Amino acid sequence: MTSQPNERVFRGRPAAPGFAVGRAWRLAEGGGAVARVAGPPEAEQAAFDRGLRLAAEQLTQLSAASDGLGADILEFQLALLDDDDLIDPVRKRIAAGVAADEAWIARLDEEIDGYLAANDEHMAARAADLRDVRDRVLRAIAGSDEVATIPDGSILIADDLTPSTFLGLDWSRLGGAVLTGGSATSHVSILARSRGVPMLVEVQPEPDAACGEPIAIDATGGVLFVCPGAATLAGLEASRAADARIAAEALAVERLPAVTADGRSIKVLVNVNAPGDLDGLSPAICDGIGLTRTEFLFAHGAPDEATQLAVYGRILAWAGGRPVTIRTLDAGGDKPVPGITIDGESNPFLGTRGLRLSLKRPHIFRVQLKALARAAAAGPLRIMVPMVTVPEEMEAARRLLDETVDELQRQGIAHARPPLGMMVEVPAAALMAEQFATDFYSIGSNDLGQYVTAVARDISGLSHLTREPNPTVLELIGRTVAAGRRRGVPVSLCGDMASRPELTGALLDTGLDTLSVAPASVGRVKLAVARAVSGPRP
Ligand code: PEP
Ligand code: MG
């Protein structure tokens, strides 16, 4: 076998397992916009017009679904897209040969600097709205055609990807992704795992692969090969074949009940991250849905009640009578939603996210609760609220749900009152779980891990502090399980630890008997359950 003299090897962390061989394609800094080659001025002008039009369409849709402050911001942003003083200089620069995105950034940055120079709180808020419009138009310029021009089979290389960029890419045509930054617990890594897209993060030093150069990734072992030689490719193929054998074993047990070697029954449910996750998936593989992340429904602003009702109804219909847990909006942190989340917080993960945000935006929260209570008429739906920190927040959520149900009752609209549960993902809640008036607990180990170690889940370079299983996280899981037992309410775990078969034994040792996992992990977790012999904690 010949070895390839040009072969270069880079190491990273596995974020979503799998193997891929293809050609490198580099995404621009930030991953938000795809690297684009500027065309002649007429093409750039057309790209700019299309960017403005798409952004205006998105903002119009958003404003139709918003009221109050959100609607004011959107109105301001829409007016900007129609403001000749802002737009004409961009057109002039494009005509002079400047690329559309460059000309737009330059003009908007001038304007943003002007607002910031005023040193006034109101003007600073407007600067944030301008930044948002700037990025929306940039995404529209980049996303319209460049994404479609990425050659089939490419493996993307970027510093990081946002969840929305990930969802905007057609992964059926792409081999995988290599991030020089990122982290294995970020939302984009969760999406990659649930879609089966091989992804490496924290690949250092920066890989020197040029666009179009052959590369291969072993995202299970954490290695990137640039210009892989024949021996490397043969080795990767052998690993892929071994992995395929385990996948076949996992497939064989996917529809069987999960029982430990010492006879304990474990419920295995699935997590739903985005519309489309359930396409082609059989409900027979699971005991229900333990987590539905609804933030991706809100990617372009708040959807109306009818839209939400239709989506929740489809999910319940898929589950065919199995329990379905739907989480209310968990925007904020690394999942900003323009017009809903608060811009400019110094540390968004410690800021207004999850239930904190929903309680500040009751007009949006009520619509979601109403759609959920209406959907609950059709099946066993449970509502779960994220990022609960103190018992009063749970009481506030419960009051809003009660009011919503009363209103539906008065209006004679078909509905049911779903159980209301909480995510346990803030250490304060895990330590005092018993004090919360909740119908069930679901542990969010992704956030629990970041808050207990004080390491943001979206940054690179500190993973030695967050390695799982982290004994502190296991301790907090055990305490939550015990609190649930004492209160007589169910406890499950829906964070990503549940999807990792190598952690299954440690999780069952805490006394947990319900795991909600990525659909792609069901079979492997069931295999791990069958090998486990640990009894529940006393
Ligand atoms: C978690 O924090 O573990 C969780 C399930 O929620 P998310 O990953 O969406 O923050
Ligand atoms: Mg969370």
Side-chain angles (χ1 to χ4, degrees), residues 240-267:
R240 199 201 53 73
D243 195 59
R245 280 192 293 278
I246 301 175
E249 272 179 56
L251 192 66
V253 302
E254 221 177 36
R255 289 170 189 239
L256 302 177
V259 184
T260 62
D262 54 352
R264 187 150 66 102
S265 281
I266 304 298
K267 289 202 192 84

Side-chain angles (χ1 to χ4, degrees), residues 187 293 327 330 335 353 386-387 423 425 444-448 450-451 457:
H187 280 97
R293 290 184 168 94
R327 184 173 75 181
D330 186 22
K335 295 173 289 188
R353 74 170 275 217
M387 280 295 292
M423 296 231 18
E425 50 187 349
S445 51
N446 308 332
D447 279 313
L448 195 55
Q450 83 161 339
Y451 293 127
R457 60 195 272 189

